Amino acid sequence: MDKIRQYAKENYIPIIRDETAVYLVKVVKEKNPQNILEIGTAIGYSGLLMLENSKANLWTIEKDEKRCEMAKENFNRFNMQNRVKIFNDDASNVLEELVKDGTKFDMVFLDGPKGQYRRYYPLIKQLLQKQGVLFTDNVYLQGLVKQTGTIPHKHRSMVRNLKEFLVELQQDQDFETTIYDIDDGFSISYFKK
């Protein structure tokens, strides 16, 4: 795992940060999910963390083909390939198909394109089992979501979308949500339905 983390750092591949990973593992151990959906595989680091700390099966989505291949290699290296289903596609396409199929998950780890969180949210809600948990990473987008004043142009729509997502998530009476100001910010939402 240290080698994967080091490779990600050296090659500027975003993976879950250390303190956030501690909380993710804690939630996985508490929830003991059977089926986890991960949006944003990268090279498989967070997926491996969740698999190592549970008996769950993992469905994971990654649009980048090269990262997808590396993730497969990493899952194989840890003998987790039988517990993982990797989708090399746009998350919206996969989420829509999973909803159509009636697939359900005990846990969703949302760590894909930040500007799309709000778009994915209604689909994720349909995919969560009763009493399921949604763990969302990077909700503060390098502090830009909390920043007052002018946001750099290239981040403006992403920040706006993330702010709208957070408001929607916090106001949704179906969830009990806590936002943590740790690392790049993350939220843990328990589905009360």
Side-chain angles (χ1 to χ4, degrees):
M1 290 295 278
D2 288 342
K3 285 181 181 177
I4 296 172
R5 198 166 60 232
Q6 187 62 36
Y7 179 88
K9 186 178 179 182
E10 288 170 2
N11 291 278
Y12 306 100
I13 297 169
I15 60 169
I16 192 168
R17 296 181 186 187
D18 293 344
E19 268 191 85
T20 306
V22 169
Y23 280 82
L24 179 65
V25 167
K26 182 180 173 196
V27 169
V28 167
K29 286 180 175 179
E30 284 173 2
K31 188 72 191 158
N32 192 26
Q34 299 304 301
N35 297 308
I36 301 172
L37 173 64
E38 177 182 44
I39 302 164
T41 315
I43 57 174
Y45 181 75
S46 51
L48 283 167
L49 278 178
M50 293 186 284
L51 289 167
E52 285 187 327
N53 288 283
S54 72
K55 290 185 164 73
N57 289 310
L58 176 71
W59 281 253
T60 185
I61 308 167
E62 177 57 56
K63 190 174 181 178
D64 184 288
E65 195 173 338
K66 185 178 177 197
R67 288 182 183 176
C68 210
E69 287 305 313
M70 292 186 72
K72 282 181 189 173
E73 288 172 20
N74 287 327
F75 289 129
N76 288 341
R77 191 173 296 131
F78 283 79
N79 293 316
M80 298 288 188
Q81 65 274 11
N82 295 334
R83 293 171 54 199
V84 180
K85 185 170 185 177
I86 302 177
F87 298 89
N88 181 205
D89 198 352
D90 185 270
S92 292
N93 298 335
V94 178
L95 295 174
E96 286 169 11
E97 283 303 312
L98 291 171
V99 167
K100 276 185 204 167
D101 292 345
T103 311
K104 294 288 186 181
F105 298 92
D106 310 295
M107 181 171 178
V108 176
F109 178 48
L110 177 54
D111 193 22
K114 313 312 167 209
Q116 301 299 316
Y117 282 10
R118 187 162 182 246
R119 188 169 154 215
Y120 299 157
Y121 181 63
L123 296 167
I124 289 169
K125 200 170 168 182
Q126 292 177 69
L127 292 167
L128 264 179
Q129 294 272 30
K130 291 177 181 176
Q131 310 301 311
V133 62
L134 168 61
F135 191 113
T136 308
D137 200 8
N138 307 113
V139 296
Y140 288 149
L141 191 64
Q142 300 157 4
L144 292 173
V145 170
K146 296 189 302 180
Q147 183 177 309
T148 54
T150 307
I151 303 295
H153 181 70
K154 70 177 187 172
H155 298 297
R156 219 169 275 158
S157 63
M158 204 179 329
V159 168
R160 183 187 66 244
N161 288 344
L162 266 174
K163 283 182 177 180
E164 289 172 0
F165 166 75
L166 286 174
V167 167
E168 195 172 336
L169 187 61
Q170 288 176 294
Q171 291 178 350
D172 191 331
Q173 297 300 306
D174 293 336
F175 282 100
E176 183 181 310
T177 297
T178 306
I179 298 175
Y180 294 83
D181 195 356
I182 295 170
D183 292 334
D184 196 24
F186 60 89
S187 64
I188 302 174
S189 307
Y190 291 94
F191 199 23
K192 295 189 289 188
K193 279 195 156 186

